[in-house]
Amino acid sequence: MELEKKELISVIIPFYNEDIYFEECLNSVLNQTYSNLEIIIINDGSDEKFLKKLYYFQKKDHEKIKILNKKNGGVSSARNYGVMESKGNYIAFIDADDVWLPTKIENQLNLLKKKKLNFIHSSYLIVDENEKFIGKFLARDLNYNQLLNSCDVGLSTVMIE
């Protein structure tokens, strides 16, 4: 199925003082094979040195990256704020210390459209700080009601319509 590149995907990244993995995270989003993205980074009250780093990344790729600043309230409030400010037809979530494979958005969007789904999630690999593979989390089929009562979803694998 040929994807229409006009459909905007909002990528929500909560950020709080992430120093080590964030650049790799952001690059994994910027290097997606599906390119019509708005990247919303929610600075959840980070220290000033981290805020400078965020603006440096925004300056490098200013057309796609939007930085929102808020008082520290935790990852859930940061995500909710990002969702409220998003303009995309779809929303994808990634944590600031996670990375995506290059075809993540394209593959999930294809499946959402083909199967007429409202949300999708996937399995994911678990690596340690040395990038050594230590395991795999296998996603299972969930309907909406099961999702409400489950913690069986890696949020960085989720895309919703």
Side-chain angles (χ1 to χ4, degrees):
M1 174 185 289
E2 181 72 24
L3 292 173
E4 294 184 39
K5 299 289 185 191
K6 68 181 180 180
E7 293 193 87
L8 181 64
I9 310 294
S10 298
V11 178
I12 309 295
I13 309 174
F15 182 91
Y16 179 74
N17 291 349
E18 175 55 53
D19 197 23
I20 299 171
Y21 304 106
F22 183 69
E23 187 170 2
E24 187 177 1
C25 167
L26 186 58
N27 285 332
S28 79
V29 176
L30 289 167
N31 293 323
Q32 289 294 298
T33 55
Y34 187 88
S35 60
N36 192 13
L37 307 173
E38 73 168 344
I39 301 167
I40 302 173
I41 303 168
I42 304 89
N43 172 41
D44 192 30
S46 295
D47 297 338
E48 186 67 28
K49 73 176 186 174
F50 295 100
L51 189 56
K52 288 179 183 177
K53 189 176 185 177
L54 290 180
Y55 284 115
Y56 167 78
F57 290 125
Q58 183 184 41
K59 188 175 181 181
K60 282 176 44 177
D61 208 324
H62 61 79
E63 292 180 13
K64 286 189 179 187
I65 297 174
K66 180 178 181 180
I67 297 171
L68 305 175
N69 294 297
K70 65 180 279 308
K71 184 179 175 183
N72 183 265
V75 69
S76 295
S77 71
R79 283 188 194 107
N80 289 338
Y81 183 40
V83 169
M84 288 187 314
E85 296 296 319
S86 68
K87 294 178 175 54
N89 306 85
Y90 298 87
I91 296 172
F93 299 96
I94 186 169
D95 289 335
D97 61 349
D98 288 342
V99 295
W100 284 342
L101 295 173
T103 59
K104 187 259 192 207
I105 295 288
E106 184 174 357
N107 290 340
Q108 285 191 318
L109 187 56
N110 272 326
L111 280 170
L112 280 168
K113 291 173 159 294
K114 183 179 178 182
K115 305 265 187 188
K116 297 182 173 143
L117 302 171
N118 299 107
F119 69 92
I120 194 168
H121 70 106
S122 65
S123 300
Y124 58 91
L125 302 177
I126 304 165
V127 297
D128 66 14
E129 63 276 356
N130 298 315
E131 297 187 26
K132 180 182 175 205
F133 173 77
I134 57 175
K136 183 176 185 176
F137 181 86
L138 296 176
R140 62 184 185 97
D141 288 340
L142 298 169
N143 64 35
Y144 180 75
N145 289 328
Q146 291 169 319
L147 181 63
L148 292 176
N149 296 309
S150 172
C151 292
D152 290 348
V153 174
L155 200 60
S156 290
T157 74
V158 172
M159 186 187 300
I160 61 174
E161 181 175 25

